[in-house]
Amino acid sequence: MTINVWGYLAEYEQERADILDAVDTVFRSGRLVLGKSVHSFEREFADYHGTRHCVSVDNGTNAIVLGLRALGVGPGDEVITVSNTAAPTVVAINSVGATPVFVDVDPDTYLMEVDQVSAAITDRTRCLLPVHLYGQCMDMEHLKALAAKHGLVILEDCAQSHGARHNGRLAGTSGDAAAFSFYPTKVLGAYGDGGAVITNSAETEANLRRLRYYGMEEQYYVVSTPGHNSRLDEVQAEILRRKLTRLDGYLARRRAIGERYAEAFADTDLVTPVTAPGNDHVYYVYVVRHPARDRILEELKKHGVSLNISYPWPVHTQSGFAHLGYEEGSLPVTERVANEIFSLPMYASLTDDQQQHVIDAVQDVLDRV
């Protein structure tokens, strides 16, 4: 038995008839770009979140890029975020000509340390970009108060938090806009790339629709600022429509898997995820910690368990971002946890037998490291 940290084949077998019907529905529709499936998915995804608008795009990175541009963020501006995230969060900030400014993370939840944000705000700060990491939400109340005090906009990075809640409020519904990814590994994943931005602002929605379509409001005429070709594909939109109806089921299964892991490792020295107060965790990835991380990963391969590190290199330590001027030790918590974290298999189609194999293997390795 070989078990990877993520896989989609079992889910595809379970949902194959519906997925193929979605493809056939689009191919028979007579409209392959910006048709009924895209418009319907946008309405349904907005309705799921209780927001007024959803604008779909081609991937999660461009959801952040266009979200920033639609909110007026650009060259000369600073955007406060975290380094413990997937690089695309920061690549997107760089792409609009803004400067990423990093704050450290909480040592238990690995989420943005909100108490450090105030000290990072300068007269160039334009946007706060919290990352709802690994499947749980930031404390948005404190962040919103800071944004209001300093006249800043908030763009939430929800790529890893579909369906997560803080004090009953869904991720993506507290800021000025929120960016989502539908990359296949996500809680709500497509069969290819995809993304979306949700907002309650009609102005932001209008900006997004122009920006994702070259800057046009009607075909062939660029109205103002040139935009991108960033349209969600009709096939992926129709697949996502079908999967959105099953999202709550995916979330329930992920939580059950997470509870079983927590119980299995409660009496070991493996540090399991800490859920922040008021949060409903959806376990996009099940991130654990151990000082012997690298040896554990090598030993688990011998048991047929292949795992992942999310993320081994904080963004500020990567050579592509050396121009930002962060030195080693500048974000001590982020740097420390990057040497110890790794992810256990987590996806809704993971079977009980597969999870038990993972649990047995990890327990065996922990007894020997």
Side-chain angles (χ1 to χ4, degrees), residues 226-246:
H228 303 257
N229 176 8
S230 300
R231 301 169 300 217
L232 179 65
D233 183 79
E234 274 286 291
V235 170
Q236 300 302 340
E238 185 62 30
I239 290 172
L240 286 166
R241 288 188 69 200
R242 312 293 181 94
K243 295 189 72 175
L244 181 59
T245 66
R246 298 188 283 272

Side-chain angles (χ1 to χ4, degrees), residues 153-228:
V153 295
I154 296 178
L155 176 65
E156 300 176 62
D157 182 345
C158 300
Q160 303 186 15
S161 59
H162 307 78
R165 294 178 183 268
H166 177 67
N167 292 336
R169 193 180 185 107
L170 279 166
T173 62
S174 295
D176 295 280
F180 290 81
S181 170
F182 305 121
Y183 186 74
T185 62
K186 305 305 183 185
V187 177
L188 180 62
Y191 277 69
D193 266 319
V197 183
I198 61 174
T199 182
N200 282 315
S201 165
E203 179 183 1
T204 302
E205 181 216 14
N207 290 340
L208 287 163
R209 293 201 182 280
R210 283 193 296 268
L211 288 168
R212 73 148 181 210
Y213 192 57
Y214 310 108
M216 298 177 182
E217 286 185 354
E218 51 186 306
Q219 196 170 19
Y220 303 129
Y221 192 92
V222 175
V223 177
S224 55
T225 305
H228 303 257

Side-chain angles (χ1 to χ4, degrees), residues 87-98:
T89 304
V90 185
V91 168
I93 297 170
N94 186 76
S95 294
V96 303

Side-chain angles (χ1 to χ4, degrees), residues 128-151:
L128 306 180
L129 205 166
V131 180
H132 299 304
L133 194 71
Y134 299 153
Q136 68 172 325
C137 297
M138 283 280 311
D139 173 8
M140 291 299 297
E141 286 85 358
H142 189 173
L143 210 62
K144 286 177 67 177
L146 282 174
K149 178 180 178 181
H150 295 277

Side-chain angles (χ1 to χ4, degrees), residues 331-357:
L331 299 171
V333 178
T334 296
E335 294 168 28
R336 183 171 71 250
V337 300
N339 293 320
E340 298 182 354
I341 54 177
F342 61 103
S343 304
L344 299 183
M346 172 60 74
Y347 43 98
S349 58
L350 185 73
T351 68
D352 288 346
D353 287 345
Q354 288 172 321
Q355 187 181 14
Q356 190 60 51
H357 179 85

